[in-house]
Amino acid sequence: MMRKMKCTGICVLALIMLFVTKLSCFSQEEMPITSKSKEAVRLYKEARNMSENFLFDQSLKKYDEALKLDPDFAVAYLSKSVYVADYKSRMSNLHEAKKRMDNISEGERYFILIHEAWYNSEEDKMWNNLDKLIAMYPNDKYLNNLAGELNYIWQNYDKALGYFKKSVDIDNDYAAAINMLGYSYRALEDYKQAEKYFKRYITLLPNNAAPYDSYADFLLAMEKYDEAIQYYQKAVEMNDGYYYSLRRIGNIYILKEEYDKARDFFVQFQNKATNLGSQMAALQDIAITYLYEENKEKAIKTFDQYTELAQRNNNSYYEVTALANKGLIYSCCDDPKKGLDYYNKALQILENSDLTEVQKNELRINNAMLKLHAYIELEAFDKCAEELERCRKLTAELNNTFVDNWIKILTAYNDLRQDNIDQAIEKLENINVNYIMKLYYLALAYEMDGNFEKANKYYAEMLNTKESGLNLALYYKRVKDKVKD
């Protein structure tokens, strides 16, 4: 998520600090970058440029080069924390950045604290620190772009659009913000404007793989699947390290219901992946293709492979995730008791793991919500109340919109299973973000209420998301059959 921060001039300040001279990059417009090495700053900027254009593996090598020249380069550690593939490395690099906060500018300190709050799901802290940083450097195009990206992630698309526009007002050829203007307009369904910015991105960086991948995403949204595949393939051909596009091609073949072809591309993605996170994502994608085919057994076997890979890498996080996903498959496929067995086993491994307390709490929250769902399926409403209370205790200090929305979705489903249809509809309609399960339960509620027109509207929205995922795969066939009827 780090974005390129251009310095219009470098001023050398003589600071005697532990017998080390620090060089700082200052501008009236932009946040300073503190390092004892000019060359490290140059490498850092190169790395950010690569990160902006989604060349994450290459950018990490550049960050490492910068850190060899300046082992106390705080924001280089911070930037590395964003792009490393595993949680332990992320938090380790964040820790290194925080250790050096006394020797950097106030703006850089806020910069680090924004990301710490983001990683810890502390939304209020994240937005508060971001507001303070933007107020300090309102004309820093990189910080405006960062603010836009965070709002985009939280699906505040109108607000994101404003920040990206500000970045482009500052620098009319700022490629990263131009790309994200395309995505923001696409999210707001202004496809004419979206295409304009995606094509401009290609014009700015014709020899880079990223713009072709972005334009393929636009074509995907327009349901021009074959054209999208051509652009994704062009991105891979331009840069063999741009293997993420292979995953997007696999997703298109899921949308085309050509599951064997989808699996072929996910295997290619897995074989080219240079980090554990991508390899795990590929296995999950393969499992999902089997769920679209309603082949629960092969999906479970694929998650067995996922577990084996996690264990070989001594990664408890992914081991717990595999069990949670198996539990969800059983819970959604008429065996919630077996689902609970997997959730309990996952919780046991979690509590005995060496994961950090923050990460454990994230997985505890997920476990509590999954168990709540299983108890709803079992109509064990007394247990639902206990698990809901556990959810609320675990999330009391977070104030995290995503988690809060999921608790609302599950409580609405709990209402629905007890025939409190109006109550369920009211809760679901008041959630602004269209998660797959929100759409599913809302459609189900209107169907139970006899409003088949609205039910079909929400079922159709589920099918038209242009994304594949575990939740959609589990319900896809039954929803498609309802829409046909």
Side-chain angles (χ1 to χ4, degrees):
M1 185 55 61
M2 298 305 95
R3 288 315 186 193
K4 184 169 67 174
M5 287 173 286
K6 179 182 175 185
C7 290
T8 56
I10 296 180
C11 302
V12 180
L13 298 182
L15 298 176
I16 301 174
M17 189 177 295
L18 300 177
F19 307 103
V20 176
T21 299
K22 298 286 182 181
L23 300 181
S24 297
C25 183
F26 285 98
S27 164
Q28 290 181 343
E29 302 295 335
E30 297 167 6
M31 185 184 79
I33 305 166
T34 305
S35 173
K36 67 183 180 183
S37 165
K38 289 182 181 180
E39 179 63 11
V41 171
R42 187 189 69 77
L43 289 167
Y44 177 69
K45 290 179 183 179
E46 283 187 22
R48 283 186 306 204
N49 184 53
M50 291 172 175
S51 301
E52 281 184 334
N53 295 301
F54 310 102
L55 300 172
F56 303 128
D57 294 338
Q58 294 94 319
S59 71
L60 284 170
K61 291 176 184 176
K62 287 287 181 185
Y63 288 128
D64 283 336
E65 288 179 39
L67 286 165
K68 281 182 183 177
L69 293 173
D70 181 3
D72 290 318
F73 197 166
V75 293
Y77 284 113
L78 191 279
S79 295
K80 263 195 76 178
S81 76
V82 178
Y83 299 111
V84 289
D86 64 281
Y87 183 85
K88 284 184 181 178
S89 296
R90 168 175 288 190
M91 301 313 289
S92 172
N93 280 283
L94 173 66
H95 177 68
E96 293 299 324
K98 285 198 70 181
K99 280 196 325 190
R100 293 159 174 83
M101 281 176 60
D102 288 344
N103 300 331
I104 59 178
S105 69
E106 184 181 12
E108 289 168 295
R109 287 195 286 274
Y110 282 127
F111 195 55
I112 292 169
L113 292 173
I114 288 163
H115 287 81
E116 181 183 38
W118 175 26
Y119 299 163
N120 292 339
S121 300
E122 297 172 319
E123 274 188 57
D124 282 351
K125 286 184 182 179
M126 183 185 77
W127 297 124
N128 287 339
N129 285 319
L130 180 65
D131 288 343
K132 289 173 184 175
L133 185 55
I134 293 290
M136 289 174 70
Y137 304 101
N139 295 315
D140 186 323
K141 66 183 182 183
Y142 307 104
L143 296 183
N144 278 284
N145 195 58
L146 171 64
E149 288 189 322
L150 289 172
N151 277 284
Y152 185 90
I153 290 168
W154 263 261
Q155 299 188 22
N156 304 322
Y157 298 124
D158 285 315
K159 204 167 182 182
L161 193 68
Y163 281 114
F164 294 133
K165 283 181 176 179
K166 178 71 181 289
S167 290
V168 175
D169 285 344
I170 295 165
D171 180 352
N172 194 49
D173 290 333
Y174 183 32
I178 287 165
N179 179 42
M180 290 308 300
L181 278 170
Y183 280 106
S184 298
Y185 278 118
R186 188 192 72 164
L188 293 166
E189 298 183 357
D190 186 341
Y191 297 116
K192 185 177 179 180
Q193 284 289 89
E195 185 170 25
K196 181 182 88 171
Y197 283 103
F198 284 130
K199 284 186 172 179
R200 191 172 164 203
Y201 188 34
I202 292 174
T203 301
L204 284 169
L205 299 174
N207 299 315
N208 194 297
Y212 300 98
D213 180 87
S214 292
Y215 190 59
D217 284 346
F218 168 75
L219 292 168
L220 169 61
M222 303 305 293
E223 298 185 4
K224 297 180 179 180
Y225 296 151
D226 292 336
E227 289 181 59
I229 288 171
Q230 290 174 13
Y231 274 87
Y232 285 131
Q233 287 177 327
K234 184 176 178 67
V236 177
E237 288 164 8
M238 291 186 74
N239 187 335
D240 191 54
Y242 213 88
Y243 51 82
Y244 304 99
S245 295
L246 294 168
R247 188 182 187 194
R248 304 296 289 160
I249 296 173
N251 177 64
I252 288 178
Y253 280 113
I254 286 179
L255 297 174
K256 289 161 73 80
E257 298 187 3
E258 297 180 40
Y259 302 116
D260 286 337
K261 282 189 178 180
R263 282 190 284 273
D264 287 343
F265 278 96
F266 292 142
V267 169
Q268 289 181 49
F269 170 59
Q270 183 184 22
N271 290 339
K272 286 182 177 289
T274 58
N275 61 73
L276 182 62
S278 293
Q279 291 164 6
M280 290 299 194
L283 283 171
Q284 177 157 318
D285 289 338
I286 291 167
I288 284 169
T289 64
Y290 289 123
L291 291 173
Y292 276 101
E293 295 176 321
E294 297 191 301
N295 193 332
K296 178 178 71 178
E297 290 72 22
K298 282 195 174 179
I300 293 294
K301 283 182 180 177
T302 306
F303 276 118
D304 288 339
Q305 296 174 37
Y306 187 108
T307 301
E308 289 166 9
L309 183 58
Q311 290 173 339
R312 284 201 304 273
N313 286 273
N314 194 30
N315 192 303
S316 302
Y317 183 91
Y318 287 122
E319 193 175 354
V320 170
T321 301
L323 290 166
N325 287 337
K326 288 180 188 178
L328 183 61
I329 291 169
Y330 281 111
S331 293
C332 295
C333 296
D334 302 321
D335 198 351
K337 284 185 178 178
K338 194 163 187 177
L340 283 168
D341 290 340
Y342 278 104
Y343 300 148
N344 288 328
K345 186 175 180 182
L347 192 59
Q348 184 178 10
I349 291 172
L350 169 63
E351 297 302 346
N352 292 324
S353 73
D354 62 351
L355 297 172
T356 66
E357 193 60 27
V358 168
Q359 196 174 22
K360 281 185 177 181
N361 203 51
E362 174 193 323
L363 291 170
R364 286 179 190 126
I365 292 165
N366 187 57
N367 184 274
M369 290 194 288
L370 288 169
K371 287 177 80 172
L372 173 57
H373 171 262
Y375 285 129
I376 295 169
E377 295 290 359
L378 288 166
E379 297 188 350
F381 299 120
D382 54 336
K383 290 286 187 180
C384 289
E386 291 175 17
E387 213 59 46
L388 182 58
E389 183 60 25
R390 180 175 164 231
C391 283
R392 286 175 172 152
K393 283 182 179 177
L394 287 167
T395 60
E397 303 297 322
L398 278 185
N399 193 25
N400 182 287
T401 305
F402 177 81
V403 172
D404 291 345
N405 281 339
W406 264 104
I407 291 174
K408 289 175 187 174
I409 288 168
L410 289 168
T411 53
Y413 185 43
N414 191 26
D415 290 333
L416 194 60
R417 289 297 293 263
Q418 297 180 72
D419 294 323
N420 298 321
I421 297 171
D422 291 341
Q423 198 171 323
I425 288 172
E426 184 180 359
K427 285 178 182 173
L428 292 166
E429 290 282 19
N430 284 328
I431 297 170
N432 294 325
V433 184
N434 283 339
Y435 303 125
I436 287 294
M437 295 313 297
K438 173 210 161 174
L439 294 173
Y440 180 66
Y441 294 145
L442 198 48
L444 201 59
Y446 279 118
E447 185 179 359
M448 290 171 65
D449 202 37
N451 190 335
F452 299 108
E453 185 179 348
K454 276 204 168 181
N456 280 332
K457 171 183 177 289
Y458 287 113
Y459 284 137
E461 278 190 44
M462 284 182 68
L463 299 180
N464 291 328
T465 58
K466 309 296 185 299
E467 297 291 337
S468 57
L470 191 60
N471 286 326
L472 182 58
L474 285 162
Y475 293 96
Y476 182 79
K477 182 66 165 58
R478 70 186 84 171
V479 169
K480 190 176 180 186
D481 289 344
K482 285 175 183 287
V483 172
K484 275 184 184 177
D485 294 340

